[in-house]
Amino acid sequence: MAVYLNPTSAITGTRGTDLFLLHDAAGLAAAGALDGGRGLDAVILLSDAALTDAHFAGLRNMEGLMLGGTGAQSLVLGPRAAAAFTGGTIAVLADAALSASIDGTALGAGTALLAATGAGADTLAGGAGNDILHAAGGEDRLLGGAGNDRLWGGAGADLLYGGAGDDTLSGGEDADCMTGGAGADRFRYAAPAEGGDTTTDFAPGTDILEVSAAGFGGGLVAGGDATGHFTANTAARADSSSGTGQFIFETDAARLWWDADGAGGSAAVLIATLPGAALSAGDIHILG
């Protein structure tokens, strides 16, 4: 591994891993042409930074970017950034930031944004590629854009918008607002504790709710839909035998509930409100 601290002249990296450590955006602007060469190479900003696409003009053959500051971070990505990173992917990590704004809306279909942030209130926006946006906590805004995107909100009341394409959205814990946009979208739940969401545009027969058999329990088995574990009524009341978990679609309020033991006496948990939708068992798929 080779480490370069605040370089000011042109550097071509080794065949192995190269790390280019720069103090801030000004340090990146002052650096010479930095070519990662072969191997897994990354640029690391050590303090708070506000980067525009122009800052990436002198970079080539990079695999990752780390925003290491603990305050507010700002990043705008476009064609210069796309040319700076290899493999058609820009991987950005900003897990220590108080807040991060990562804007990849100018990226074309051939470039995917893979962005991960920490517990701050972050805004992550993808472009036309198949992006992966992962926020760990805080009240975040995740915008997929075009492409088949994967969005994870983490803890906090988040806003997720998939945009065009066949997207997968997971709000995580707390009450989130999710909109799939155009395409056949999947809304994923690992456990009932991730419920309480509003899904604004669920299209039965096109979109899918995915739930984890391991996380929900109640006798769910991975590999099929919710047939045998589903009912619909106006009372939001389970009617399965005691011990058999059941999804209940409250028809007059368009709300989906989960009762882990059916008619066994435990309280049902609200999973999602789906305005205008009329769910059936086939709209809920069971994962492992």
Side-chain angles (χ1 to χ4, degrees):
M1 177 187 295
V3 178
Y4 307 93
L5 179 61
N6 291 319
T8 56
S9 59
I11 294 176
T12 298
T14 67
R15 292 175 177 268
T17 297
D18 301 296
L19 302 179
F20 299 86
L21 278 60
L22 299 136
H23 182 67
D24 53 18
L28 180 57
L34 305 179
D35 188 328
R38 299 183 182 181
L40 298 176
D41 311 303
V43 172
I44 301 174
L45 278 295
L46 300 174
S47 61
D48 297 342
L51 301 178
T52 68
D53 192 49
H55 284 97
F56 296 92
L59 302 182
R60 290 293 183 272
N61 293 314
M62 299 295 174
E63 280 71 48
L65 170 67
M66 179 176 178
L67 303 178
T70 58
Q73 315 301 314
S74 175
L75 176 62
V76 178
L77 303 167
R80 292 182 178 86
F85 292 84
T86 64
T89 299
I90 300 176
V92 181
L93 176 64
D95 60 338
L98 176 66
S99 65
S101 173
I102 300 176
D103 182 353
T105 55
L107 296 173
T111 303
L113 172 60
L114 194 166
T117 57
D122 307 310
T123 298
L124 312 179
N130 299 329
D131 306 306
I132 300 176
L133 309 179
H134 193 297
E139 296 185 355
D140 308 301
R141 298 175 69 247
L142 278 61
L143 313 172
N148 303 327
D149 307 306
R150 288 182 280 173
L151 281 57
W152 281 271
D158 308 307
L159 172 65
L160 281 66
Y161 180 74
D166 300 339
D167 308 306
T168 300
L169 291 74
S170 177
E173 296 179 359
D174 299 305
D176 309 298
C177 181
M178 298 190 288
T179 301
D185 304 306
R186 297 172 181 265
F187 301 87
R188 184 170 293 176
Y189 291 89
E194 295 186 351
D197 302 331
T198 297
T199 300
T200 67
D201 66 341
F202 189 86
T206 299
D207 298 330
I208 293 171
L209 291 167
E210 294 182 330
V211 301
S212 166
F216 277 71
L220 295 178
V221 177
D225 61 25
T227 298
H229 294 271
F230 181 88
T231 191
N233 54 57
T234 60
R237 183 176 301 162
D239 57 16
S240 63
S241 59
S242 178
T244 300
Q246 191 171 49
F247 290 99
I248 310 132
F249 185 65
E250 187 181 357
T251 54
D252 58 341
R255 294 189 294 190
L256 180 68
W257 301 80
W258 167 248
D259 194 323
D261 70 346
S266 67
V269 176
L270 178 64
I271 302 301
T273 301
L274 306 104
L279 294 190
S280 66
D283 294 314
I284 304 172
H285 289 194
I286 316 301
L287 306 180

